[in-house]
Amino acid sequence: MTEKTYRDALKEGLREEMLRDERVFIMGEDVGRNWGGAFKVTKGLAEEFGDDRVRDTPISENTIAGAALGAAITGLIPVAEIMFGDLITLAMDQVCNQAAKMRYMFGGQTSVPLVLRSVFGGGKSIASHHSQSLEAWFMHTPGLKIAVPSFAYDVKGLIKTAIRDPDPVMFFEHKLVYDRKEEVPEEEYLIPFGEARVHREGDDVTIWGTFFMVHKAIEAADELAKQGISAEVIDPRTLVPLDKKTLIDSVKKTGRLVLVTEETKTGATTAEIAAIVQEEAFDWLDAPIKRVNAPDTPVPFSPPLEQYFIPDKERIISAVREIV
Amino acid sequence: MAVTKKKLVDLYTRTLKVRLFEEKVWDLFGENLVPGTLHLYLGQEAVAAGVTAALKKSDWVQSTHRGHGHVVAKGADMKAALAELLGKRTGSCKGKGGSMHITEFKAGVLGATGVVASGLPIAAGAALSCQMRGTKEVVACFFGDGASNNGTFGESLNMSAIWKLPVIWIVENNFYAMGTPITLTCPSQSIAQRAEAYCIPGCVVDGNNAVEVYEATLEAVKRAREGGGPSLIECQTYRMRGHSRFDPAKYRPKEEVDFWLSKDAVEIIQSIALEKKALTRKEAKDIRKKLQKEVDSAADFAVKSEYPEPQEALDDVFAEVA
Ligand SMILES: Cc1ncc(C[n+]2csc(CCOP(=O)(O)OP(=O)(O)O)c2C)c(N)n1
Ligand SMILES: [Mg+2]
């Protein structure tokens, strides 16, 4: 085991898959040698694998996604990068109408081994066009798998699984976790989709969250522990497929649930999870399910506004205290 | 066409104003007062100056992520602009937008946008509105070389051409989109030559020469106002700094950087104005002093302004219902 940053673990996963299978290639804006990706994830890969396999594109999001799709159905395995998650909006047709539907609409004739990497989240004061968390839009689109890794160990194992998956995978990262470190094994490993990770075990309340909010939930759980409240923290790691069992089992144990993501509240993934839990574990709930989300506004620029917008440890703790 | 002495002074003043504004932004950034990222306009001042000098106050500009220059040259309040960059309540967008969204509608700015190439359709629509309302106003739409490879470029140029919309497409070709050189993303020698495909006039000008930019824009504005439709003007220019906040721009060859740094937009317009006797050295200096004072006091205002209260995050999602 060695400590690695999320960024390096992700790069290692990409690199291992490119070494293993020469059909794997990367394309996107500034992924190549001059920049190495806006968040430096692909830095060094163009030097190692060449500019053909780590391909800089024009600023053409719809065609980046569409061309990756075209390559995926004809024998390659593209890992396309859209520089910011907000900009997948420019590629919605190719992602949601084409890639997501292709296997089904054509009666199972083709696989779509496509990975589309992008990054969500606020916290950097870069305002409404570069800070959103839009994962629910894709969860609402049948045919897309969605990975949401928040830790170095997970991101490496999941990117390798995503690349080997025969269906389109939306691989979402978070801006604030690239520098976070975690122990990562030396030997090869894959993490199956649909298996949650339990970061803290607890009896009094379940906290389910994604991305940077998992980190905040862990901090909250540690502080709650000092206050005598034992919280279980669950990170789903993939939203599609979703590990319902780990969550439902936990709720059956704790009887209380707090859901926390950075999304704006209305129509967020937390709404879907709350619905699932009340369908499948209503009788075990001892209190209403609490949702901790951002308010229904665009992401504001100014630091005091953005801090208000993004949920934090204190908001998680007070949501827990309201029901425990 | 001879540019009047008065216009030369105007061009000098606009170019220098943008320069001093951006230098102040850079200082404030160095003092850690500017949150988030920054796309400085340093180096490209002559484009904003030349274009806006050919417009009337009632005309419109559509800006980009590199928008400070467009907004300041169009006549936005520098106090509100700097306050916005600092995230203050007195900012033109009340601290909601910041650098990438710096905008002042009452100065005729339709918006600065963080989504590359998203301004083109909006500019087409604003031009359609000018045409339908019969206002004789025109729209100048700024975008980068990188933006010209987005689908909105083709769609917007085409729509503007078929409807003869009063819009001037200003592509600021600084030869890079972040670290990607234009040679990797554009097969033709110029972006302007794409105009031919849409049957509209296209030309290339030295974007560091405010007079050249002004003259080309003036002609396009005249055509647009008279119902002759859109034009595409490619202004070739260069960023003095990196793409954004911390980019050291190591991917640009030194000879190329030196060449462009020797073509300083302020020096060029100043020497033209002096040569044509539009200005004396003393007058040039006095203008600089006056502008510097304006910029300094705008910065002072911005620094002293209050941050918004956190709950102000909830304002302005919808109109207030009376
Ligand atoms: C649609 C979109 N794609 C990508 C980005 C990320 N990005 C911001 S600026 C930029 C480069 C833009 O290049 P250009 O249009 O030439 O303008 P310049 O920065 O050179 O002024 C990129 C890729 C974005 N903001 N929007
Ligand atoms: Mg450019």
Side-chain angles (χ1 to χ4, degrees), chain B residues 44 65-66 143-147 172-178 180 239 243:
Chain B
Q44 306 185 193
H65 61 285
R66 198 176 299 288
F143 56 98
D145 48 289
E172 299 190 71
N173 181 6
N174 59 15
F175 299 93
Y176 289 84
M178 291 182 56
T180 305
R239 300 184 318 239
H243 166 74

Side-chain angles (χ1 to χ4, degrees), chain A residues 28-104:
Chain A
E29 294 158 18
D30 279 290
V31 296
R33 60 182 74 222
N34 279 0
W35 208 288
F39 294 89
K40 307 290 181 200
V41 169
T42 52
K43 188 141 194 71
L45 294 182
E47 287 84 340
E48 179 172 359
F49 294 100
D51 300 329
D52 274 357
R53 282 183 80 194
V54 184
R55 186 173 283 264
D56 279 323
T57 66
I59 304 177
S60 310
E61 281 76 10
N62 203 22
T63 301
I64 294 170
L69 172 57
I73 59 175
T74 50
L76 294 179
I77 304 178
V79 181
E81 177 178 321
I82 299 290
M83 196 181 285
F84 287 87
D86 315 66
L87 308 175
I88 309 176
T89 53
L90 281 81
M92 285 307 260
D93 173 54
Q94 292 298 333
V95 172
C96 295
N97 286 328
Q98 312 305 332
K101 297 179 173 50
M102 206 164 259
R103 177 187 296 279
Y104 181 86

Side-chain angles (χ1 to χ4, degrees), chain A:
Chain A
M1 295 282 241
T2 344
E3 262 215 335
K4 293 211 167 88
T5 63
Y6 180 99
R7 175 185 295 106
D8 287 344
L10 173 54
K11 184 190 309 186
E12 238 177 51
L14 288 166
R15 184 173 171 271
E16 284 176 16
E17 290 305 291
M18 289 181 82
L19 285 171
R20 182 188 61 83
D21 186 339
E22 62 181 27
R23 294 172 302 169
V24 179
F25 76 104
I26 292 173
M27 65 192 279
E29 294 158 18
D30 279 290
V31 296
R33 60 182 74 222
N34 279 0
W35 208 288
F39 294 89
K40 307 290 181 200
V41 169
T42 52
K43 188 141 194 71
L45 294 182
E47 287 84 340
E48 179 172 359
F49 294 100
D51 300 329
D52 274 357
R53 282 183 80 194
V54 184
R55 186 173 283 264
D56 279 323
T57 66
I59 304 177
S60 310
E61 281 76 10
N62 203 22
T63 301
I64 294 170
L69 172 57
I73 59 175
T74 50
L76 294 179
I77 304 178
V79 181
E81 177 178 321
I82 299 290
M83 196 181 285
F84 287 87
D86 315 66
L87 308 175
I88 309 176
T89 53
L90 281 81
M92 285 307 260
D93 173 54
Q94 292 298 333
V95 172
C96 295
N97 286 328
Q98 312 305 332
K101 297 179 173 50
M102 206 164 259
R103 177 187 296 279
Y104 181 86
M105 194 168 66
F106 297 144
Q109 293 181 66
T110 186
S111 282
V112 184
L114 156 69
V115 179
L116 196 139
R117 286 184 47 235
S118 200
V119 53
F120 283 134
K124 283 184 164 289
S125 279
I126 47 178
S128 301
H129 286 166
H130 289 80
S131 309
Q132 299 170 82
S133 300
L134 303 176
E135 54 271 25
W137 293 9
F138 303 96
M139 203 176 176
H140 189 64
T141 303
L144 299 173
K145 294 188 176 175
I146 307 175
V148 290
S150 308
F151 286 80
Y153 173 79
D154 299 334
V155 79
K156 181 171 179 192
L158 288 171
I159 192 70
K160 289 168 69 80
T161 304
I163 288 170
R164 298 183 195 192
D165 196 287
D167 287 304
V169 177
M170 305 300 284
F171 198 88
F172 294 136
E173 297 148 30
H174 190 285
K175 292 178 194 78
L176 299 188
V177 305
Y178 287 117
D179 291 318
R180 294 210 162 211
K181 288 187 176 170
E182 189 179 25
E183 298 272 306
V184 175
E186 294 301 338
E187 61 283 0
E188 178 171 57
Y189 65 98
L190 279 84
I191 299 174
F193 279 13
E195 282 189 12
R197 177 170 171 187
V198 179
H199 284 279
R200 293 283 184 279
E201 291 189 11
D203 300 316
D204 299 330
V205 60
T206 303
I207 308 177
W208 180 101
T210 55
F211 292 126
F212 198 52
M213 290 304 123
V214 185
H215 296 267
K216 294 287 137 187
I218 292 168
E219 287 172 25
D222 291 346
E223 192 153 322
L224 286 162
K226 289 179 211 148
Q227 301 170 18
I229 296 173
S230 146
E232 183 143 301
V233 177
I234 298 177
D235 172 355
R237 299 197 293 192
T238 58
L239 291 171
V240 180
L242 180 71
D243 182 352
K244 293 185 191 176
K245 185 171 184 304
T246 301
L247 172 63
I248 299 292
D249 287 350
S250 175
V251 170
K252 286 180 178 174
K253 175 173 65 171
T254 64
R256 291 176 170 81
L257 178 61
V258 172
L259 302 165
V260 48
T261 72
E262 214 180 298
E263 304 160 278
T264 55
K265 189 168 188 175
T266 301
T269 59
T270 46
E272 179 62 28
I273 302 302
I276 290 170
V277 171
Q278 74 83 26
E279 278 171 351
E280 300 191 13
F282 183 78
D283 291 339
W284 284 269
L285 284 170
D286 295 324
I289 297 168
K290 282 278 166 195
R291 286 191 283 157
V292 180
N293 286 105
D296 286 326
T297 76
V299 187
F301 158 70
S302 185
L305 303 181
E306 195 186 30
Q307 277 156 28
Y308 177 84
F309 176 92
I310 300 173
D312 57 15
K313 182 180 74 178
E314 279 65 41
R315 282 185 57 199
I316 299 170
I317 290 172
S318 59
V320 167
R321 291 206 141 275
E322 276 176 50
I323 53 169
V324 176

